Amino acid sequence: MINYIIRRLFLTIPTIIGIITITFLLMYVVPGDPVRILMGQRGDPETIAMIRKQMGLDDPLPVQYFRFLGNILRGDFGRSYATNRPVLPEILSRFPATLKLALASMLVASIIGLTAGIVSATRQYSFFDYSSMVVALMGVSAPVFWVGLLLMWIFGYTLGWLPISGYGGVSYLILPAIALGVRPAAYIARMTRSSFLEVLRQDYIRTARAKGLPERRVIYVHAMRNTLITVITVLGMELASLLSGAVLTETIFAWPGIGRLSVDAIIKRDHPMVQGTVLFTAIIFIFANLIVDISYAFLDPRIRYE
Amino acid sequence: MNRKMDNKEVSTSYWKDAFKRLRKNKLAMVGLYIILGLMVIAILAPWIAPYDPYEVNYDEYLEPPSLRHPLGTDEFGRDILSRIIFGARVSLQVGIIAEGIATAIGVLLGSISGYYGGWVDHLIVELTNIIFAFPFLLFVIAIVVSLGPSLTNVFIAVGITGWAGTARLIRGQILSLKESEYVEAARALGASNTRIIFKHIVPNCIAPIIISATLGMGGAIMTEASLSFLGLGAQPPIPSWGSMIDYAKDFLRTNLWYSFFPGLAIMITVFGFNLLGDGLRDALDPRLKV
């Protein structure tokens, strides 16, 4: 197991370097002189030339690249154009909000997704099965920002039960968590249903039925265990993508997480901040997925001996 | 073309079977009709739209749905129904062009990777892993920001990020197909690698390509809507469903329909592609049908 983890950790190194490289190149090709953005209208040509030199913007591409790489590896993500403060602490301070929203919507998604998936699978081809799978596919097809706006209108403006947007207690968390949870819920429902159906066809389930176990026990004990392996992986993968920031949901609900931070940075043309959030979320995404893979190997011993 | 089809008896009957299976799948047919309907709307937009989608009329701004304006008007007094009808053009373009670029890159890189193996394969596989490691929407946003916000750049961004899945799929198919006897026979006859790949191998993975392209079109349309919602896609006054919602959200409290209808259009469209994609998967891949 330890060997497997170490091997997987090593495999992430080229991916992370690749991500740093692409992020660097993306910001390198951005049109517009960063110094101009920084100085606004004030700068005269000499000052601009001096600052360019100070920032190393006149160095050849490879020199700039390796300096960037070195800085990132030391945890220096650069300074924000907007505030001139280091980017990384700002990103880290926004992470708890993103984490809170991700966990809450995961909770919503698992409760709805698992229930719908199991009920559909045990009543395959029933009206419930048919309609819940159509609803799930509609959930996958609805834009999250639109779902968010509809929820806002219904529960915020019309019924007045919940705050429209902002950050605070649990009441602020409910609407964004539901909006963000719709897609993963639909996905979890579909995956749970199909993996449950697969498990139900296996020999050991027939054996369990043949020896006279009550159906309830066959489904909730025997079949459930093997279904959970697949479902937990899906949950983990969904959580990984939620953790990397819900750009759209955080934007419409004014939720102060990483997604909102990156959109604000884009509007302000704060390139180091954009770069920082992209890089940070990509790395979170990689490690979250790595943990999912490792826990999968933990749950299913067959994986370790591939 | 016809003569060729007749010669390939086996493959013809495969497509006939597949179509028969597809027609039996009610949901998939619903998806197909949604997409066909959308295409008709997009093509006939100038003739069926009741108003000019760009026509500003300050006498009739933010009106609720009525007989004159079935879906109401926006803050410039423009007819929302007409803008949604023209918006279908934007969405379909994105679906076809952006997903077309992504599929082309994916098929090309996937087949090179699977066929040649070695360091090229390692490089391409690593590149797909890197693309998968990026949170998709943020990656697309970063690219569009670098290139500058516009519809064309959305095509490019979706194209260069969307190929990884197709590449992975095609690579897997090619790895198994390249060992088959008919490929060996083609090689023995002296066919070049390019000919073997594009004349012999790729046509045999057309089914998975169609499935992933159909699902991908829905995804591309959703991505464009999201980018336009953030103001990074279609620029005003182009009627894109995503940017309509972007403007509508400021009037949400009093004018729900303005946000509601463009979003409904996005959902129905993406739903159509997802239904058809799912149905095609069941129809084209009999092995998956249990």
Side-chain angles (χ1 to χ4, degrees), chain A residues 15 18-19 26 30-31 137-138 141-143 145-146 149 153 157 190 244 247-248 252 262 266 278 281 285-286, chain B residues 126 130 132-134 137-138 141 145-146 222 226 229 245 252-253 256 259-260 263-264 266-267 271 274-275 278:
Chain A
T15 317
I19 283 175
L26 275 176
V30 167
L137 204 56
M138 280 164 102
S141 313
F145 50 92
W146 182 67
L149 290 174
W153 188 82
Y157 289 132
R190 282 164 62 97
S244 54
V247 177
L248 297 160
I252 58 166
S262 59
I266 287 165
V278 172
T281 52
F285 192 57
I286 290 179
Chain B
E126 192 49 50
I130 292 171
F132 274 122
F134 272 104
L137 190 61
L138 208 54
I141 289 175
V145 170
S146 302
M222 184 71 97
S226 308
F229 176 72
I245 302 177
L252 179 69
R253 185 190 191 89
L256 175 69
S259 301
F260 180 75
L264 189 67
I266 300 172
M267 187 177 84
F271 185 58
N274 283 339
L275 282 179
D278 271 9

